[in-house]
Every structure is written in C-alpha cells, then in structure tokens.
C-alpha cells in the first residue's frame, strides 16, 4: 500500500509509532489493573498515566476521565436523562442537526424528548433558535460538537455554553474530531461533558473517553457490574488500548501547533488546485474549520463514482462520515445546511493528517484532473483552458 495516498483521516488514522510502542510494552504487563498485587499495580499505572495525559490535553482533572470502548459509547454515556442541572433534573435533549449519528440517536433519551437545533447554510448552529428551544421547556441537556466530521466546521461552543448556563442546562461536547487537531480546554469551552476517541488521533480503535467537567453530576452508567472507572463504567479496562490512547494523545498534543499550521497550508493548496480544474464548491469555506478538512462537490459529480475513481487512482477519500459508508444517499449534514439533494449526494471529503505531504496533495490533484474528464463529463479542452 506504499504507493497509495491516504486522505481519509477523519474516518480513522494510522497508528502512531508512539502508540504502537506503548501497546507492545503494555503486552508484557500481566496484571489486572484492579488487582492490588505488584502486577496489578503496574497495569494500573499504565491506565492512570494515560488518564493524566488525556486530562492535561483538555485542561481537566484526571479523576474525571472515564475510559470507554470508543466515541459512540462515550456519547451514549453522556446522553443520560435525569442528570442534575442548575434548574432541576434534565428531562429533554437538544442536539444540533449536524451531530454524529450516535448523538442524533439520542443515547438513552426517549425520542419524544429530543429536539433538533438547526444550523445556518454554513453549518454553524443557530444560536437564536437555541435560545428559543431552551426557553420552551424544562431543563435540557444540549449536545453540540466541537468540529463537524464532514465539513470540519468549528462550532461556537463557548457561546453555546453561555446560553445553556443561563437556561440552567447541561452541555455535552463531542470533541472527537477536534481533540489533538486544535487547542481545546474543557473550562474555556464551558462544557460539562466531552467525548473523545483514540483512533482519530493515531491511537487504536476500540477505546475512547468521556471527560467530566468539575461541576457536573456523574452520568448514569451504561454498563453495570464491577467498580471499574470509579463505578462509572463496569468491565476490566482495556490496558493495551488505553496505553496506546495515552501515547497517541501525548504525541498529537506535542505536535499540535506545528501540525495545525502545516495542514492548514496543505488544505488551502488542495482547495486552490481543485478549483483550477473545475467549478468546485467547497462547503463551509467562509467559517472557521478544522485545518485538515475539505468537503467539496462539482456540478454533475456523483460522490460514489468519485470515491471509486479516486480509489482506482490510488487515493483514499470518502463521501462523508465512515459510519454511513455503503449508503448511497445525500449527506444529512449538507441537507441540514439547506444544500440541495444533488449537491448533497455529490460531496466528497478529503481529510489530511500528520504524515500528509505536498506530494500527496499534488498526486490527489493530478488524479482530480484526470477524473474530472469522466466525472464531470468535460472535454480535454475544457480542462486545459483553466491552466
């Protein structure tokens, strides 16, 4: 696969060397982290070291980090009715219309108690509508993601938090796409609950975390049994996965500033190159986005055909969230933004990562020049006259 270019980092990332090394080392630790003997204490140390790294990366307290089997479980654990809020017990859930599918599903809330917060044409949550929704009923748990997995849009989380706080509610932030890519601080965001996932930052699949703010009540456990994770999540901790998560988080946070600048430049180079070939629409390009994400379409382009075409040229891209792969349907994120069905069904996502190079971007653009002839039914003369 060395001759291929991977541009689907928002779906999952390669395992970082630091994470691989940490996991291999963890294989030599025999003990159960709940055991009190020396072997158990060594395993426990691996778990707690990772917990501290992740907490520092979010400005949180280590004891408020709860390890889970991934981002979806972290979201479901967070979306818990009955939480104590300043204005009383949480009875309903408000979620932005562009949330990840695991949040849109509502966790453990009754579907009748879930309301959608609309977004504007750029994909930014409508704060005015949020105010009205908050005022229209009992205390609410509000879930707004830090960064969208398809468009890369950064939501105004701190402004959302202020509105939620005034209304006496609780705020959950899905930061799975943002953590390790942009600076985040749970206190500056004003979040009460934050979800994370290891495999989005170079850690292993199958491990995530829910980070609790200093003042929020403990959510009701999804998994009950033993007293692991301070009684918040039963089951023996995935020591190998957690060690990899901690190492990946440390590496991502150490290189965050330089990667953020470099990837932003590569993304701009990529988008400029796409536009040179055809009349391309880059979604949400007028608002703050992740530095690594481009979601684009062109007239008459079909996303499924484009993804296959790029793949045959040795370029891995996607048509949106990997959790919806295989489904030939318009992006619900773009539909929520008011994008028409044809454009929503023709969107292709390119997402970059720490090992993406200029050569990778140039190879993608070379493939785009070739594919545009068939994808957009353009003639050679039409493409060449743009250079």
């Amino acid at each position: 696969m060395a001759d291929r270019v991977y541009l689907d980092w928002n779906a999952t990332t390669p395992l970082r060397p630091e994470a691989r090394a940490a996991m291999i080392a963890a294989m030599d630790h025999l003990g159960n982290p709940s055991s009190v003997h020396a072997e158990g204490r060594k395993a426990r140390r691996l778990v707690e070291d990772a917990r501290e790294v992740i907490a520092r990366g979010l400005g949180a307290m280590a004891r408020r980090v709860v390890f889970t089997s991934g981002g979806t479980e972290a979201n479901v654990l967070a979306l818990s009715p009955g939480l104590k809020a300043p204005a009383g017990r949480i009875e309903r859930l408000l979620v932005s219309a562009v949330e990840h599918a695991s949040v849109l599903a509502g966790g453990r809330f009754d579907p009748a108690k879930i309301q959608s917060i609309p977004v504007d044409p750029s994909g930014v949550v409508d704060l005015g509508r949020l105010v009205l929704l908050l005022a229209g009923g009992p205390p609410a748990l509000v879930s707004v993601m830090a960064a969208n997995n398809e468009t890369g849009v950064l939501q105004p989380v701190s402004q959302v938090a202020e509105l939620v706080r005034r209304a006496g509610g609780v705020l959950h932030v899905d930061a799975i796409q943002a953590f390790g890519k942009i600076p985040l601080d749970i206190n500056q965001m004003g979040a009460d609950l934050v979800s994370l996932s290891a495999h989005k930052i170079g850690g292993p699949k199958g491990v995530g975390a829910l980070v609790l703010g200093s003042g929020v009540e403990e959510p009701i456990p999804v998994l009950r049994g033993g007293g692991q994770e301070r009684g918040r999540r039963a089951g023996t901790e995935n020591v190998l996965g957690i060690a990899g998560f901690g190492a990946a988080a440390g590496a991502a946070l150490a290189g965050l500033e330089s990667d953020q600048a470099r990837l932003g430049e590569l993304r701009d180079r990529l988008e400029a190159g796409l536009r040179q070939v055809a009349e391309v629409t880059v979604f949400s390009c007028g608002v703050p986005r992740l530095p690594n994400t481009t979601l684009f379409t062109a007239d008459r382009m079909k996303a499924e055909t484009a993804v296959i075409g790029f793949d045959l040229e040795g370029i891995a891209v996607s048509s949106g969230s990997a959790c919806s792969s295989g489904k030939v349907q318009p992006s619900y994120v773009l539909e929520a933004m008011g994008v028409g069905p044809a454009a929503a069904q023709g969107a292709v996502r390119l997402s970059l990562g720490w090992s993406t190079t200029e050569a990778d971007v140039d190879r993608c653009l070379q493939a785009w020049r070739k594919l545009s002839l068939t994808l957009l039914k353009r003639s050679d003369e039409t493409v060449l006259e743009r250079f």
Side-chain angles (χ1 to χ4, degrees), residues 150-176:
E150 293 191 25
T151 62
V153 167
L154 303 180
Q155 296 293 352
V157 173
S158 59
Q159 292 176 260
V160 171
E162 180 61 28
L163 298 176
V164 173
R165 190 177 300 111
R166 289 179 191 171
V170 172
L171 176 63
H172 165 246
V173 175
D174 177 345
I176 289 169

Side-chain angles (χ1 to χ4, degrees), residues 66-68 71-81 83 107-108 141 172 193 195 209-210 212 218-223 232-233:
V66 184
F67 286 116
T68 66
T72 290
E73 186 191 334
N75 284 337
V76 173
L77 178 58
L79 303 184
S80 177
L83 282 172
R108 291 170 286 174
L141 171 61
H172 165 246
L193 306 138
S195 300
L210 179 66
L212 311 177
E218 303 282 343
I220 300 168
V222 176
L223 299 178
R232 300 157 174 155
R233 200 271 187 185

